[in-house]
Amino acid sequence: MKGVRFTRATFSGSEVSFDDAVFSGSTVKFDDATFSGGEVSLHGVTFPSGSVDFHSVASWDSPPQFDDLVLTAPPAELLLPPPDIVRPS
């Protein structure tokens, strides 16, 4: 499968920005990644022919920040984790 993987990556104390990224032609996967602190942002992202898959994260305690519209009605190209992984903020 073509794409970028952040398998077992840990986002725990610094800032990572994917702001204004264009996900085109492949899938970016965060399998077993841990979001436990710091700030990961995906503001202004677009998905013309790609996708971002958070479905198999290990921890979502400090989830990435998206535009409000993305979270209100996530596009099909954005796979969020199942409810049992999501922790209230």
Side-chain angles (χ1 to χ4, degrees), residues 24-61:
S24 177
S26 63
T27 298
V28 177
K29 294 183 72 89
F30 290 85
D31 293 338
D32 294 318
T34 299
F35 292 89
S36 59
E39 182 178 311
V40 178
S41 64
L42 288 102
H43 295 285
V45 298
T46 56
F47 310 92
S49 62
S51 61
V52 176
D53 185 350
F54 292 103
H55 192 258
S56 297
V57 298
S59 169
W60 193 253
D61 294 336

